[in-house]
Amino acid sequence: MTITDRERTMSSSLTTRAGVALSTGTQHTTGYFRGRTIAELGERLRADEIRAVDLVKAALTAIDALDGTLNAFVTVDRAGALRAAETADAELADGRDRGPLHGIPVAVKDIIDVAGLRTTMGSAHFADNVPAQDAECVTRLREAGAIVIGKTTTQEFAFGPTGDRAHNGASRNPHDPGRMTGGSSGGSGAAVAAGIVPLALGTDTGGSVRIPASLCGVAGFKPAYGAVPTGGVFPLSQTLDHVGVLAGSADDCRTGYRVLAGLRPMPRRERGAEVSVGWIPPDLLHPTDPRVALLARTALRADGLDVRDIRPGGLDGMLRAFGAIQFSEAHAVHAERVAEAPQLFTDDVLAILRQAGETAGWQYVRALTERERWRAEVGALLDQVDLLAMPTTCVAAPEVDQREIEVGGAPLPVRGPLIGLTRPWNLAGTPALSVPAGTVDGLPAGLQLIGSPGQEDRLFAVAERIGAALQRWRGATGADTKDG
Protein backbone atom coordinates (compact mmCIF):
# COMPACT_ATOMS: atom_id res chain seq x y z
CA MET A 1 0.00 0.00 0.00
CA THR A 2 1.39 3.42 -0.90
CA ILE A 3 1.68 6.17 1.71
CA THR A 4 -1.08 8.12 -0.03
CA ASP A 5 -3.41 5.10 0.04
CA ARG A 6 -2.59 4.36 3.66
CA GLU A 7 -3.31 7.94 4.70
CA ARG A 8 -6.57 7.93 2.75
CA THR A 9 -7.66 4.69 4.43
CA MET A 10 -6.65 5.99 7.87
CA SER A 11 -8.61 9.20 7.39
CA SER A 12 -11.71 7.36 6.17
CA SER A 13 -11.56 4.95 9.11
CA LEU A 14 -11.30 7.77 11.65
CA THR A 15 -14.21 9.67 10.10
CA THR A 16 -16.31 6.49 10.14
CA ARG A 17 -15.52 5.84 13.79
CA ALA A 18 -16.43 9.43 14.60
CA GLY A 19 -19.76 8.94 12.85
CA VAL A 20 -20.47 5.78 14.85
CA ALA A 21 -19.73 7.62 18.08
CA LEU A 22 -22.03 10.39 17.02
CA SER A 23 -24.94 8.04 16.54
CA THR A 24 -24.37 5.64 19.44
CA GLY A 25 -22.97 7.67 22.34
CA THR A 26 -23.45 5.72 25.55
CA GLN A 27 -24.56 8.59 27.79
CA HIS A 28 -25.62 11.06 25.15
CA THR A 29 -24.86 11.80 21.53
CA THR A 30 -21.11 12.32 21.25
CA GLY A 31 -18.30 13.10 18.86
CA TYR A 32 -15.00 11.32 18.38
CA PHE A 33 -13.12 13.00 21.23
CA ARG A 34 -15.44 11.92 24.04
CA GLY A 35 -13.36 9.80 26.42
CA ARG A 36 -10.11 10.29 24.49
CA THR A 37 -7.26 12.08 26.23
CA ILE A 38 -4.85 14.57 24.70
CA ALA A 39 -1.98 12.27 25.64
CA GLU A 40 -3.61 9.34 23.81
CA LEU A 41 -4.22 11.46 20.72
CA GLY A 42 -0.65 12.72 20.80
CA GLU A 43 0.76 9.21 21.03
CA ARG A 44 -1.25 8.14 18.00
CA LEU A 45 -0.19 11.19 16.03
CA ARG A 46 3.47 10.52 16.76
CA ALA A 47 3.07 6.82 15.97
CA ASP A 48 1.66 7.83 12.56
CA GLU A 49 -1.62 6.05 13.33
CA ILE A 50 -3.67 9.20 12.73
CA ARG A 51 -3.01 12.65 11.34
CA ALA A 52 -3.94 16.10 12.51
CA VAL A 53 -6.07 16.41 9.37
CA ASP A 54 -8.06 13.38 10.53
CA LEU A 55 -8.65 14.94 13.93
CA VAL A 56 -9.84 18.20 12.40
CA LYS A 57 -12.19 16.32 10.08
CA ALA A 58 -13.56 14.39 13.06
CA ALA A 59 -14.25 17.67 14.86
CA LEU A 60 -15.95 19.15 11.80
CA THR A 61 -18.04 15.99 11.37
CA ALA A 62 -19.20 16.29 14.97
CA ILE A 63 -20.06 19.97 14.53
CA ASP A 64 -22.15 19.13 11.46
CA ALA A 65 -23.97 16.38 13.32
CA LEU A 66 -24.44 18.01 16.73
CA ASP A 67 -24.29 21.76 16.62
CA GLY A 68 -27.74 22.24 15.17
CA THR A 69 -28.96 20.96 18.55
CA LEU A 70 -26.27 22.22 20.91
CA ASN A 71 -25.49 25.66 19.44
CA ALA A 72 -21.98 25.35 20.87
CA PHE A 73 -20.34 27.29 18.02
CA VAL A 74 -20.79 30.80 16.68
CA THR A 75 -18.18 30.56 13.91
CA VAL A 76 -16.37 27.54 12.46
CA ASP A 77 -13.07 27.98 10.60
CA ARG A 78 -13.16 24.93 8.35
CA ALA A 79 -10.64 26.01 5.75
CA GLY A 80 -8.25 27.57 8.25
CA ALA A 81 -8.34 24.55 10.53
CA LEU A 82 -7.62 22.14 7.69
CA ARG A 83 -4.71 24.28 6.50
CA ALA A 84 -3.30 24.40 10.01
CA ALA A 85 -3.69 20.62 10.31
CA GLU A 86 -1.78 20.06 7.08
CA THR A 87 1.01 22.25 8.44
CA ALA A 88 1.02 20.35 11.74
CA ASP A 89 1.29 17.03 9.90
CA ALA A 90 4.12 18.30 7.71
CA GLU A 91 6.02 19.57 10.75
CA LEU A 92 5.74 16.23 12.54
CA ALA A 93 6.87 14.44 9.40
CA ASP A 94 9.92 16.73 9.31
CA GLY A 95 10.72 16.06 12.95
CA ARG A 96 9.43 19.35 14.37
CA ASP A 97 7.32 18.58 17.43
CA ARG A 98 5.81 21.61 19.18
CA GLY A 99 4.67 19.69 22.25
CA PRO A 100 1.61 17.89 23.64
CA LEU A 101 -0.94 20.10 21.84
CA HIS A 102 0.68 19.68 18.42
CA GLY A 103 -2.09 18.78 15.96
CA ILE A 104 -4.85 18.89 18.61
CA PRO A 105 -8.14 20.67 17.69
CA VAL A 106 -9.27 23.31 20.19
CA ALA A 107 -12.21 25.70 20.45
CA VAL A 108 -12.07 29.29 21.68
CA LYS A 109 -14.77 31.20 23.56
CA ASP A 110 -16.26 33.98 21.48
CA ILE A 111 -15.04 36.73 23.78
CA ILE A 112 -11.39 35.95 22.96
CA ASP A 113 -9.89 37.45 19.79
CA VAL A 114 -8.92 35.11 16.97
CA ALA A 115 -7.45 36.87 13.96
CA GLY A 116 -9.75 36.84 10.95
CA LEU A 117 -12.68 35.21 12.77
CA ARG A 118 -15.74 37.01 14.07
CA THR A 119 -15.54 37.74 17.78
CA THR A 120 -19.05 38.81 18.75
CA MET A 121 -18.91 38.74 22.58
CA GLY A 122 -22.32 37.07 22.26
CA SER A 123 -23.81 40.49 21.53
CA ALA A 124 -25.49 42.38 18.70
CA HIS A 125 -23.15 45.24 19.57
CA PHE A 126 -20.26 43.27 18.02
CA ALA A 127 -22.10 41.07 15.53
CA ASP A 128 -19.68 41.90 12.69
CA ASN A 129 -16.48 42.41 14.69
CA VAL A 130 -13.45 40.69 13.14
CA PRO A 131 -10.19 41.24 15.04
CA ALA A 132 -6.93 41.68 13.17
CA GLN A 133 -4.78 39.69 15.59
CA ASP A 134 -4.99 36.84 18.04
CA ALA A 135 -5.35 37.26 21.77
CA GLU A 136 -2.11 36.40 23.53
CA CYS A 137 -3.56 33.16 24.90
CA VAL A 138 -4.54 32.09 21.35
CA THR A 139 -1.05 32.93 20.12
CA ARG A 140 0.36 30.60 22.76
CA LEU A 141 -1.98 27.82 21.66
CA ARG A 142 -0.96 28.21 18.02
CA GLU A 143 2.74 28.33 18.89
CA ALA A 144 2.22 25.03 20.71
CA GLY A 145 0.77 23.49 17.54
CA ALA A 146 -2.90 23.53 18.56
CA ILE A 147 -5.48 24.00 15.80
CA VAL A 148 -8.32 26.47 16.32
CA ILE A 149 -11.57 24.94 15.02
CA GLY A 150 -13.83 27.88 15.78
CA LYS A 151 -15.46 30.21 18.29
CA THR A 152 -17.88 28.99 20.96
CA THR A 153 -21.08 30.52 22.26
CA THR A 154 -20.76 32.86 25.23
CA GLN A 155 -23.35 34.51 27.42
CA GLU A 156 -23.58 38.12 26.22
CA PHE A 157 -20.39 39.91 27.27
CA ALA A 158 -19.70 36.90 29.54
CA PHE A 159 -22.06 38.46 32.09
CA GLY A 160 -24.15 35.62 33.50
CA PRO A 161 -23.88 32.01 34.69
CA THR A 162 -26.72 30.43 32.68
CA GLY A 163 -25.36 30.21 29.12
CA ASP A 164 -28.76 30.91 27.58
CA ARG A 165 -28.54 34.65 26.88
CA ALA A 166 -26.50 35.29 23.74
CA HIS A 167 -27.13 37.03 20.43
CA ASN A 168 -26.77 33.67 18.65
CA GLY A 169 -29.08 31.85 21.09
CA ALA A 170 -28.66 29.50 24.03
CA SER A 171 -25.95 26.86 24.17
CA ARG A 172 -27.49 23.54 25.22
CA ASN A 173 -26.35 20.75 27.48
CA PRO A 174 -25.31 17.54 25.68
CA HIS A 175 -26.75 15.46 28.55
CA ASP A 176 -30.19 17.00 27.95
CA PRO A 177 -30.58 19.75 25.32
CA GLY A 178 -33.50 21.15 27.29
CA ARG A 179 -31.06 22.02 30.10
CA MET A 180 -28.58 24.86 30.54
CA THR A 181 -24.89 24.42 29.89
CA GLY A 182 -24.14 27.03 32.50
CA GLY A 183 -22.16 30.10 31.60
CA SER A 184 -20.72 32.11 30.54
CA SER A 185 -18.40 29.67 28.72
CA GLY A 186 -21.39 27.49 27.82
CA GLY A 187 -20.41 26.71 24.24
CA SER A 188 -16.97 25.54 25.32
CA GLY A 189 -18.51 23.29 27.96
CA ALA A 190 -20.93 21.79 25.45
CA ALA A 191 -18.22 21.29 22.81
CA VAL A 192 -15.99 19.34 25.20
CA ALA A 193 -18.82 17.37 26.81
CA ALA A 194 -20.13 16.33 23.40
CA GLY A 195 -16.70 15.17 22.24
CA ILE A 196 -16.50 17.77 19.47
CA VAL A 197 -13.07 18.90 20.71
CA PRO A 198 -10.80 17.62 23.49
CA LEU A 199 -9.93 21.11 24.79
CA ALA A 200 -11.58 24.54 24.80
CA LEU A 201 -10.76 27.99 26.12
CA GLY A 202 -13.12 29.84 28.42
CA THR A 203 -13.03 32.84 30.69
CA ASP A 204 -13.93 32.92 34.36
CA THR A 205 -14.89 36.07 36.29
CA GLY A 206 -17.21 34.51 38.86
CA GLY A 207 -17.24 30.85 37.81
CA SER A 208 -17.72 30.93 34.04
CA VAL A 209 -15.36 28.03 33.32
CA ARG A 210 -16.21 25.90 36.34
CA ILE A 211 -20.00 26.28 36.14
CA PRO A 212 -20.29 24.83 32.59
CA ALA A 213 -17.76 22.15 33.55
CA SER A 214 -19.97 21.11 36.47
CA LEU A 215 -23.29 21.18 34.60
CA CYS A 216 -21.88 19.47 31.48
CA GLY A 217 -19.84 16.82 33.29
CA VAL A 218 -16.29 17.78 32.26
CA ALA A 219 -13.24 19.29 33.95
CA GLY A 220 -12.74 23.04 34.09
CA PHE A 221 -9.79 24.98 35.49
CA LYS A 222 -9.53 28.62 36.56
CA PRO A 223 -5.85 29.47 37.08
CA ALA A 224 -4.49 31.88 39.64
CA TYR A 225 -5.15 35.50 38.80
CA GLY A 226 -2.61 36.77 36.26
CA ALA A 227 -1.18 33.32 35.46
CA VAL A 228 -2.58 33.42 31.91
CA PRO A 229 -2.49 36.70 29.95
CA THR A 230 -5.81 38.38 29.17
CA GLY A 231 -4.59 40.61 26.34
CA GLY A 232 -7.11 40.38 23.48
CA VAL A 233 -9.87 39.13 25.80
CA PHE A 234 -12.87 41.45 26.06
CA PRO A 235 -13.14 42.45 29.74
CA LEU A 236 -16.05 41.86 32.05
CA SER A 237 -14.38 42.83 35.33
CA GLN A 238 -10.69 43.37 34.81
CA THR A 239 -9.49 42.56 38.32
CA LEU A 240 -11.59 39.39 38.49
CA ASP A 241 -11.21 38.07 34.91
CA HIS A 242 -9.27 34.85 34.32
CA VAL A 243 -8.66 32.81 31.15
CA GLY A 244 -9.20 29.10 31.80
CA VAL A 245 -9.61 25.74 30.10
CA LEU A 246 -12.23 23.01 29.83
CA ALA A 247 -11.31 19.43 28.94
CA GLY A 248 -12.37 15.85 29.45
CA SER A 249 -10.05 15.35 32.43
CA ALA A 250 -8.03 17.24 35.01
CA ASP A 251 -4.83 16.02 33.36
CA ASP A 252 -5.88 17.49 30.01
CA CYS A 253 -6.69 20.77 31.78
CA ARG A 254 -3.16 20.66 33.19
CA THR A 255 -1.73 20.22 29.69
CA GLY A 256 -3.70 23.18 28.35
CA TYR A 257 -2.92 25.33 31.37
CA ARG A 258 0.83 24.83 31.13
CA VAL A 259 0.79 25.97 27.50
CA LEU A 260 -1.34 29.03 28.28
CA ALA A 261 0.82 29.98 31.26
CA GLY A 262 4.01 29.71 29.21
CA LEU A 263 5.32 26.77 31.23
CA ARG A 264 7.38 23.97 29.75
CA PRO A 265 5.60 20.63 29.24
CA MET A 266 6.59 18.35 32.11
CA PRO A 267 5.48 14.92 33.23
CA ARG A 268 3.35 15.02 36.35
CA ARG A 269 5.49 14.33 39.43
CA GLU A 270 3.06 15.29 42.19
CA ARG A 271 1.00 12.25 43.18
CA GLY A 272 -1.30 13.92 45.66
CA ALA A 273 -0.15 11.67 48.53
CA GLU A 274 -0.37 12.87 52.13
CA VAL A 275 -2.79 15.63 51.19
CA SER A 276 -5.13 17.27 53.68
CA VAL A 277 -8.42 18.70 52.40
CA GLY A 278 -10.64 21.25 54.08
CA TRP A 279 -14.33 20.75 53.27
CA ILE A 280 -16.29 24.01 53.31
CA PRO A 281 -19.97 23.25 54.00
CA PRO A 282 -21.62 24.84 50.95
CA ASP A 283 -24.66 26.14 52.81
CA LEU A 284 -22.34 28.62 54.52
CA LEU A 285 -22.13 30.37 51.16
CA HIS A 286 -25.43 29.60 49.48
CA PRO A 287 -28.37 27.19 49.94
CA THR A 288 -27.37 23.95 48.21
CA ASP A 289 -29.26 20.88 47.05
CA PRO A 290 -28.25 18.32 49.72
CA ARG A 291 -27.88 15.63 47.05
CA VAL A 292 -25.27 17.74 45.23
CA ALA A 293 -23.42 18.41 48.49
CA LEU A 294 -23.42 14.73 49.44
CA LEU A 295 -22.29 13.75 45.95
CA ALA A 296 -19.24 16.04 46.14
CA ARG A 297 -18.36 14.95 49.67
CA THR A 298 -18.67 11.29 48.67
CA ALA A 299 -16.31 11.84 45.72
CA LEU A 300 -13.69 13.13 48.16
CA ARG A 301 -14.05 9.99 50.26
CA ALA A 302 -13.56 7.70 47.27
CA ASP A 303 -9.76 7.73 47.63
CA GLY A 304 -9.57 7.94 51.40
CA LEU A 305 -8.31 11.52 51.52
CA ASP A 306 -7.80 13.25 54.87
CA VAL A 307 -10.89 15.49 54.87
CA ARG A 308 -11.93 17.80 57.70
CA ASP A 309 -14.58 20.49 57.92
CA ILE A 310 -13.32 24.05 57.81
CA ARG A 311 -15.27 27.28 58.17
CA PRO A 312 -13.96 30.51 56.65
CA GLY A 313 -14.73 33.85 58.28
CA GLY A 314 -15.62 37.13 56.61
CA LEU A 315 -18.16 35.65 54.19
CA ASP A 316 -20.55 38.60 54.27
CA GLY A 317 -17.74 41.02 53.46
CA MET A 318 -16.51 38.73 50.69
CA LEU A 319 -19.95 38.70 49.04
CA ARG A 320 -20.28 42.48 49.26
CA ALA A 321 -16.80 42.95 47.83
CA PHE A 322 -17.32 40.62 44.90
CA GLY A 323 -20.58 42.30 43.95
CA ALA A 324 -19.26 45.85 44.21
CA ILE A 325 -16.08 45.10 42.26
CA GLN A 326 -17.74 43.14 39.48
CA PHE A 327 -20.60 45.60 39.09
CA SER A 328 -18.39 48.71 39.13
CA GLU A 329 -15.87 47.35 36.66
CA ALA A 330 -18.51 45.90 34.33
CA HIS A 331 -20.48 49.14 34.21
CA ALA A 332 -17.29 51.08 33.46
CA VAL A 333 -16.82 48.91 30.36
CA HIS A 334 -20.40 49.28 29.11
CA ALA A 335 -21.70 52.65 30.37
CA GLU A 336 -21.79 54.28 26.92
CA ARG A 337 -23.44 51.28 25.26
CA VAL A 338 -26.09 51.15 27.98
CA ALA A 339 -26.82 54.85 27.50
CA GLU A 340 -26.65 55.02 23.70
CA ALA A 341 -27.78 51.64 22.36
CA PRO A 342 -29.64 49.71 25.10
CA GLN A 343 -31.85 47.99 22.52
CA LEU A 344 -28.89 45.91 21.33
CA PHE A 345 -28.51 44.11 24.67
CA THR A 346 -30.41 41.01 25.71
CA ASP A 347 -32.93 41.88 28.42
CA ASP A 348 -31.15 40.00 31.23
CA VAL A 349 -27.75 41.56 30.59
CA LEU A 350 -29.17 45.06 30.17
CA ALA A 351 -31.01 44.73 33.48
CA ILE A 352 -27.92 43.63 35.40
CA LEU A 353 -25.77 46.35 33.81
CA ARG A 354 -28.29 48.98 34.83
CA GLN A 355 -28.25 47.56 38.34
CA ALA A 356 -24.45 47.63 38.23
CA GLY A 357 -24.55 51.33 37.41
CA GLU A 358 -26.10 52.02 40.82
CA THR A 359 -22.95 50.92 42.67
CA ALA A 360 -21.39 53.91 44.43
CA GLY A 361 -17.72 54.79 44.24
CA TRP A 362 -17.29 54.47 48.01
CA GLN A 363 -18.62 50.90 47.79
CA TYR A 364 -15.96 50.02 45.23
CA VAL A 365 -13.18 51.55 47.34
CA ARG A 366 -14.31 49.66 50.44
CA ALA A 367 -14.59 46.47 48.39
CA LEU A 368 -10.93 46.67 47.40
CA THR A 369 -9.97 46.67 51.08
CA GLU A 370 -12.40 43.85 51.82
CA ARG A 371 -10.85 41.81 49.02
CA GLU A 372 -7.46 41.97 50.73
CA ARG A 373 -9.07 40.72 53.95
CA TRP A 374 -10.63 37.80 52.05
CA ARG A 375 -7.35 36.92 50.37
CA ALA A 376 -5.67 36.86 53.77
CA GLU A 377 -8.46 34.64 55.11
CA VAL A 378 -8.09 32.17 52.24
CA GLY A 379 -4.31 32.18 52.66
CA ALA A 380 -4.74 31.33 56.35
CA LEU A 381 -7.10 28.47 55.49
CA LEU A 382 -4.58 27.08 53.02
CA ASP A 383 -1.92 27.21 55.72
CA GLN A 384 -4.08 24.79 57.71
CA VAL A 385 -4.82 22.36 54.85
CA ASP A 386 -3.39 21.67 51.40
CA LEU A 387 -6.63 22.10 49.48
CA LEU A 388 -10.16 23.38 50.01
CA ALA A 389 -13.18 21.55 48.61
CA MET A 390 -16.89 22.04 48.06
CA PRO A 391 -19.40 21.44 45.28
CA THR A 392 -18.93 23.55 42.16
CA THR A 393 -22.57 24.53 41.81
CA CYS A 394 -25.45 24.30 44.28
CA VAL A 395 -27.68 22.47 41.79
CA ALA A 396 -27.52 20.35 38.65
CA ALA A 397 -28.46 21.97 35.35
CA PRO A 398 -31.70 23.97 35.35
CA GLU A 399 -33.87 24.10 32.26
CA VAL A 400 -33.00 26.54 29.49
CA ASP A 401 -34.70 29.92 30.18
CA GLN A 402 -35.55 28.91 33.76
CA ARG A 403 -35.15 31.96 35.99
CA GLU A 404 -36.21 30.55 39.36
CA ILE A 405 -35.26 27.26 40.98
CA GLU A 406 -36.28 25.56 44.20
CA VAL A 407 -33.47 24.75 46.62
CA GLY A 408 -34.28 23.32 50.03
CA GLY A 409 -37.96 24.01 49.51
CA ALA A 410 -37.47 27.71 48.77
CA PRO A 411 -37.71 29.37 45.33
CA LEU A 412 -34.54 31.31 44.43
CA PRO A 413 -33.36 33.32 41.42
CA VAL A 414 -31.37 30.88 39.30
CA ARG A 415 -28.19 32.99 39.22
CA GLY A 416 -27.35 32.44 42.91
CA PRO A 417 -27.26 28.61 42.98
CA LEU A 418 -25.02 28.63 39.89
CA ILE A 419 -22.46 31.25 40.95
CA GLY A 420 -22.71 31.06 44.74
CA LEU A 421 -19.85 28.59 45.30
CA THR A 422 -17.46 29.73 42.57
CA ARG A 423 -17.20 33.52 42.95
CA PRO A 424 -15.22 33.51 46.24
CA TRP A 425 -12.18 32.08 44.43
CA ASN A 426 -12.17 34.78 41.76
CA LEU A 427 -12.05 37.37 44.51
CA ALA A 428 -9.21 35.46 46.19
CA GLY A 429 -7.39 34.93 42.88
CA THR A 430 -6.62 31.30 43.78
CA PRO A 431 -6.53 28.40 41.30
CA ALA A 432 -9.76 26.38 41.32
CA LEU A 433 -10.68 23.20 39.47
CA SER A 434 -14.04 21.53 38.87
CA VAL A 435 -14.15 17.81 38.15
CA PRO A 436 -17.12 15.47 37.67
CA ALA A 437 -18.44 13.99 40.92
CA GLY A 438 -21.37 11.98 39.54
CA THR A 439 -24.99 12.65 38.66
CA VAL A 440 -28.18 13.86 40.30
CA ASP A 441 -31.37 12.83 38.49
CA GLY A 442 -29.16 11.82 35.57
CA LEU A 443 -27.50 15.24 35.31
CA PRO A 444 -23.83 15.91 36.12
CA ALA A 445 -22.61 17.79 39.17
CA GLY A 446 -19.06 18.81 39.99
CA LEU A 447 -16.61 18.77 42.86
CA GLN A 448 -14.56 21.96 43.22
CA LEU A 449 -10.98 21.92 44.52
CA ILE A 450 -9.17 25.12 45.48
CA GLY A 451 -5.45 25.46 46.11
CA SER A 452 -2.64 27.96 46.55
CA PRO A 453 -0.95 29.69 43.61
CA GLY A 454 2.15 27.71 42.70
CA GLN A 455 0.61 24.43 43.90
CA GLU A 456 -1.38 23.70 40.74
CA ASP A 457 0.21 20.29 40.17
CA ARG A 458 -1.04 19.15 43.57
CA LEU A 459 -4.53 20.29 42.61
CA PHE A 460 -4.43 18.33 39.36
CA ALA A 461 -2.90 15.27 41.00
CA VAL A 462 -5.58 15.06 43.69
CA ALA A 463 -8.28 15.50 41.05
CA GLU A 464 -6.80 12.65 39.01
CA ARG A 465 -6.67 10.48 42.15
CA ILE A 466 -10.33 11.17 42.83
CA GLY A 467 -11.29 10.46 39.23
CA ALA A 468 -9.39 7.17 39.24
CA ALA A 469 -10.94 6.14 42.56
CA LEU A 470 -14.44 6.90 41.27
CA GLN A 471 -13.74 4.84 38.16
CA ARG A 472 -12.57 1.91 40.28
CA TRP A 473 -15.69 2.18 42.43
CA ARG A 474 -17.96 2.27 39.39
CA GLY A 475 -16.13 -0.70 37.90
CA ALA A 476 -16.50 -2.68 41.11
CA THR A 477 -20.18 -1.88 41.60
CA GLY A 478 -21.26 -1.52 37.97
CA ALA A 479 -22.91 1.77 38.93
CA ASP A 480 -22.41 5.50 38.63
CA THR A 481 -22.11 7.83 41.63
CA LYS A 482 -25.73 8.91 41.63
CA ASP A 483 -27.98 11.06 43.77
CA GLY A 484 -25.44 11.36 46.60
Side-chain angles (χ1 to χ4, degrees):
M1 182 181 292
T2 68
I3 291 178
T4 300
D5 289 341
R6 179 178 63 81
E7 290 179 344
R8 185 180 297 114
T9 299
M10 186 164 55
S11 180
S12 175
S13 174
L14 180 57
T15 302
T16 299
R17 288 198 299 276
V20 169
L22 288 167
S23 61
T24 63
T26 54
Q27 293 184 348
H28 47 75
T29 306
T30 57
Y32 174 76
F33 296 100
R34 177 75 179 179
R36 288 179 166 86
T37 67
I38 291 172
E40 172 194 341
L41 297 169
E43 288 173 3
R44 297 192 65 201
L45 280 168
R46 287 160 183 80
D48 205 25
E49 295 176 4
I50 54 174
R51 300 177 303 154
V53 167
D54 301 323
L55 298 182
V56 166
K57 288 180 178 178
L60 295 174
T61 296
I63 290 171
D64 291 341
L66 298 175
D67 204 48
T69 298
L70 300 180
N71 194 37
F73 285 83
V74 181
T75 302
V76 178
D77 187 16
R78 295 174 184 273
L82 287 167
R83 285 194 303 271
E86 290 169 355
T87 298
D89 286 329
E91 287 180 343
L92 282 178
D94 289 341
R96 184 180 184 188
D97 189 333
R98 293 176 179 263
L101 293 186
H102 192 123
I104 301 298
V106 300
V108 177
K109 183 179 181 178
D110 196 38
I111 204 160
I112 302 172
D113 285 350
V114 174
L117 293 186
R118 282 193 313 149
T119 300
T120 73
M121 328 306 171
S123 178
H125 285 279
F126 287 89
D128 299 316
N129 174 57
V130 179
Q133 62 184 37
D134 288 337
E136 190 171 349
C137 56
V138 174
T139 296
R140 291 185 177 185
L141 283 179
R142 292 197 201 270
E143 289 175 347
I147 298 166
V148 175
I149 290 290
K151 308 298 296 298
T152 56
T153 298
T154 174
Q155 184 105 350
E156 185 176 27
F157 291 117
F159 206 174
T162 57
D164 60 357
R165 291 295 183 268
H167 181 56
N168 65 303
S171 53
R172 293 178 177 270
N173 197 315
H175 292 264
D176 178 351
R179 300 279 177 166
M180 294 176 183
T181 56
S184 60
S185 308
S188 289
V192 171
I196 297 173
V197 290
L199 184 75
L201 289 193
T203 61
D204 191 313
T205 303
S208 290
V209 162
R210 291 160 289 153
I211 294 164
S214 177
L215 301 193
C216 292
V218 298
F221 179 60
K222 179 198 80 68
Y225 182 74
V228 176
T230 56
V233 180
F234 195 88
L236 170 55
S237 176
Q238 291 182 332
T239 69
L240 298 172
D241 291 344
H242 302 64
V243 174
V245 290
L246 297 100
S249 69
D251 201 46
D252 282 353
C253 282
R254 177 184 183 272
T255 298
Y257 161 68
R258 292 192 68 84
V259 167
L260 293 171
L263 303 172
R264 290 186 299 110
M266 291 179 63
R268 191 177 69 232
R269 295 174 182 171
E270 172 75 60
R271 298 299 176 190
E274 306 291 331
V275 171
S276 60
V277 179
W279 171 260
I280 299 177
D283 284 309
L284 293 177
L285 287 161
H286 196 281
T288 300
D289 183 333
R291 298 172 300 168
V292 170
L294 182 58
L295 192 72
R297 185 70 185 253
T298 301
L300 278 178
R301 295 194 193 109
D303 198 47
L305 292 165
D306 173 17
V307 182
R308 66 193 78 165
D309 280 5
I310 197 164
R311 292 174 175 261
L315 295 178
D316 289 342
M318 177 273 295
L319 292 173
R320 285 194 303 271
F322 178 87
I325 291 170
Q326 186 191 48
F327 273 21
S328 296
E329 293 179 351
H331 192 263
V333 172
H334 294 288
E336 288 77 16
R337 276 181 284 273
V338 170
E340 297 167 8
Q343 74 281 1
L344 295 180
F345 287 97
T346 59
D347 290 345
D348 281 18
V349 174
L350 178 61
I352 199 169
L353 281 169
R354 283 178 166 159
Q355 182 184 355
E358 298 172 2
T359 306
W362 64 264
Q363 292 175 301
Y364 181 73
V365 173
R366 286 186 182 178
L368 297 179
T369 300
E370 193 63 53
R371 172 162 58 189
E372 295 311 309
R373 293 195 188 106
W374 175 244
R375 287 177 172 171
E377 174 69 15
V378 173
L381 295 177
L382 288 168
D383 286 338
Q384 299 176 43
V385 293
D386 296 308
L387 300 176
L388 303 172
M390 62 195 323
T392 308
T393 53
C394 301
V395 294
E399 294 178 358
V400 170
D401 294 328
Q402 185 176 349
R403 285 301 174 269
E404 191 172 84
I405 189 168
E406 188 173 298
V407 182
L412 298 171
V414 74
R415 173 183 170 86
L418 295 178
I419 200 173
L421 306 181
T422 53
R423 59 190 167 188
W425 318 116
N426 293 81
L427 194 68
T430 50
L433 173 68
S434 178
V435 291
T439 60
V440 172
D441 293 337
L443 296 170
L447 165 69
Q448 185 176 200
L449 299 171
I450 302 101
S452 299
Q455 298 297 317
E456 288 82 3
D457 270 2
R458 176 178 292 167
L459 201 63
F460 292 123
V462 170
E464 285 293 304
R465 272 182 59 181
I466 292 168
L470 287 173
Q471 277 194 326
R472 289 194 299 271
W473 183 85
R474 289 166 187 151
T477 61
D480 192 6
T481 309
K482 295 181 180 178
D483 302 335

